[in-house]
Amino acid sequence: MAARKRGELFTVLETSTDTETNALSDGEDCPLNLPVDVKWFEIPFRKSESDEEDEEVQENKGESELESTAAEDTADSASYIAGGGCNIILVTGNGIKHEEYEEDSYYATSNNCSETSSSDSDIDFSDLEEEERPGLFGAYDALDEECTSPDFWGEPDQVISIEPFTADSGPQHSLGDDADTLDYFRLLFPDSLFEHMVEQTNNYAIYRQRRSGRSDAHWHPTNIREMKAYVGLNILMGINQLPEYGMYWASDIFIGNAGFKKTMTARRFEKLNQNLHLCDRDSEPSKGELGYDGLYKIRPLLDIVGNTIWDAYLPNRCLTIDECAIASKGRFSPTQYMPSKPLRKGLKVWMLCDSRSGYCHRTRIYVGKSSDDVAAAAVGHKVVTSLVRGLEARHQHLFMDSFFTSVSLLQHLLHQGFYACGPTNPCRRGYPDALKPLNVGKLAPGEFYQCQHGNLVASVTRDAKIVSYLSTNCAPGIVGIGPGKREEVSKDGDCTDVAGLGIPRPLPLLLYQENMRGVDLCDQLRECYQVGRPCKKWWRYFLWFYINLCIVNSYVVLRESRRGLPPTGFNGKQFTQRHFRIRLAQQLIGDYQGARGMERAARKRHADSPLEYGHRLERMSERSRRCRNCTNKGLRHESVFGCKICNVHLCRGGCFSEFHK
């Protein structure tokens, strides 16, 4: 199919404001999900002059009735198209207005295919050279051969078929109206996972002591209550952020946190940090052995959380597939450098999220480039098919970026009952040659070309730049015009922004812009309040990432289950994510107090008559230690005397009574 002439793209058959609603796409069958201020117009396909000549020949052969009907439909715009200008659709107060651009008035754009493809995507294309090699896709070879045939693409005048989405969706649980934040969090992070963390943490502490050959006098086995309190403190650290975690236990009243001191000591928190573990180190296979798993250290977490987040919320119609980055300082080979992302260096995780709520349904961790050429080439296909496994024939609409979008993938998804839309690299196999930058040439803003094969529609348009799209859920020839701004120069020479109409955009571009925000929305909710502290162990970043993800998902489930109403007992005006996290951390900690916290509570309770409860000044040791009461006042005095009940050294003067008050 050759590139079409500039004036032979589409023609507008309906220009009256009364017929705008009739020209709209069927909103019930299409995943519009677009703002109400976007006006829709259908631009029927206008055939080329050569096609019209063929029709005249066929008309002489006895098909005059069919051809006369088509001629009547295009008679109003035939005189305009004959001029050869670019047909730009604008909306005025009286309806649609045409503006003609001459051949030499197009905006300058690059015709270099490689330059265009490098700026179209926000993902590094380092693996695309292998991905585009012929014969490496295995199961997709048949689709590749079909899409590369000369007669695969045709004119954009075919009717597409979109099945309606009728499956159940939304939160799935049996919690009542009296359920609180901790109950929703348990749906995604159950108590069995806390018990597993306690078991493996105690085992790893014994493993470290056995490997070092000496016992740790400051370690004692943990339990599920302490582990929940430890996670609760890490959640609060994301809300009340300090440069170092030791500052939460500082003696300075303006820096130290009384709640942290009451829950556990800084030394105990540090010991839990050292021994926290999720797997059995004794049975971990080494690299190169049979059964080696690069994610062995977090495999129990992935198995449990992966099932809970999938079961707690059934996917809606529009879903987003994209990547997110996790900031890390550990030594992990799959760490990626992504210069176009806000976080340029980090660990990559692919996510399947709801386009509206941001709920994350499934994740896949990037563990490095495969040594197998076939597996490395089909990485985009493998990621997408693994993320949507179990949703076949539900007629969901997937939105993905140019790293994944290809003709073979969209054909494969369409056979499985998925509709998809996204930008693509125009140099990929199967993309129509007629729509490649070298053949299309310069485009004016709002001008677009399309080719079609059944439900599969290929589009190239110019918005802020030239963009190539593939879609299976958009009818060809439909554009939308939303509100925009234009600069207007006053008599004084000042430039002001005046409200007006934006650039006409094809339906695939508008759908992508509106529904590709699911992963970004999830990232915004997750990045507002970080959980955990930086460390050198790579798997810790994934642990805190999934805990944070469970918090975000549980907040979404609570918000949709209660239809925006806050939990019982909340007295604020609006229940935000910050309130959810604080309430969750408080319920995880509960009334737990470590050994030092219980001692302080006892001192406060018995402060009126310390001698009655066994508190007395007596010799503590042969070696003098710093007086606790003087240290609290900023002085340095040492004493061999103290209180054995409180386990502190005190001076023989008035420090004993002053400390117990």
Side-chain angles (χ1 to χ4, degrees), residues 334-345:
T335 301
Q336 293 287 293
Y337 177 71
M338 295 163 282
S340 60
K341 289 288 185 181
L343 181 61
R344 296 190 175 184
K345 187 178 181 181

Side-chain angles (χ1 to χ4, degrees), residues 29-31 160-165 317-319 388 393-400 410 413-422 455-456 470-474:
D29 297 338
C30 297
I160 68 171
S161 174
I162 299 179
E163 296 292 335
F165 175 77
R317 179 174 60 174
C318 297
L319 303 174
V388 300
R394 286 169 55 95
H395 310 301
Q396 253 102 3
H397 296 257
L398 308 178
F399 297 87
M400 60 195 80
L410 265 64
L413 292 175
L414 188 61
H415 294 162
Q416 292 187 336
F418 296 100
Y419 303 102
C421 176
N455 265 43
L456 182 60
L470 290 173
S471 63
T472 57
N473 57 355
C474 306

Side-chain angles (χ1 to χ4, degrees), residues 4 45-64 66-68 70-71 155:
R4 304 186 61 85
F45 173 69
R46 176 71 165 90
K47 295 189 176 182
S48 63
E49 295 177 358
S50 60
D51 295 339
E52 291 178 354
E53 293 176 357
D54 295 339
E55 290 174 0
E56 292 178 359
V57 174
Q58 293 177 358
E59 186 176 283
N60 295 332
K61 294 182 180 180
E63 299 181 356
S64 58
L66 180 62
E67 298 303 327
S68 61
E155 304 290 358

Side-chain angles (χ1 to χ4, degrees), residues 520-545:
D520 295 335
L521 180 58
C522 181
D523 286 344
Q524 290 175 4
L525 295 173
R526 184 176 54 84
E527 293 291 341
C528 288
Y529 308 100
Q530 291 288 344
V531 179
R533 308 290 297 189
C535 62
K536 293 184 179 181
K537 297 181 179 180
W538 62 266
W539 63 268
R540 293 280 184 91
Y541 292 97
F542 288 116
L543 169 62
W544 299 125
F545 167 79

Side-chain angles (χ1 to χ4, degrees), residues 401-472:
D401 60 17
S402 56
F403 179 78
F404 305 104
T405 309
S406 65
V407 176
S408 58
L409 176 61
L410 265 64
Q411 286 285 84
H412 177 72
L413 292 175
L414 188 61
H415 294 162
Q416 292 187 336
F418 296 100
Y419 303 102
C421 176
T424 186
N425 184 352
C427 296
R428 287 198 167 179
R429 294 188 63 188
Y431 191 78
D433 294 335
L435 302 186
K436 291 187 176 181
L438 290 176
N439 296 328
V440 172
K442 298 178 181 179
L443 297 177
E447 185 183 10
F448 65 96
Y449 293 85
Q450 290 182 325
C451 294
Q452 186 178 4
H453 174 79
N455 265 43
L456 182 60
V457 178
S459 309
V460 59
T461 184
R462 178 183 173 88
D463 190 44
K465 59 181 180 180
I466 294 180
V467 187
S468 301
Y469 276 85
L470 290 173
S471 63
T472 57

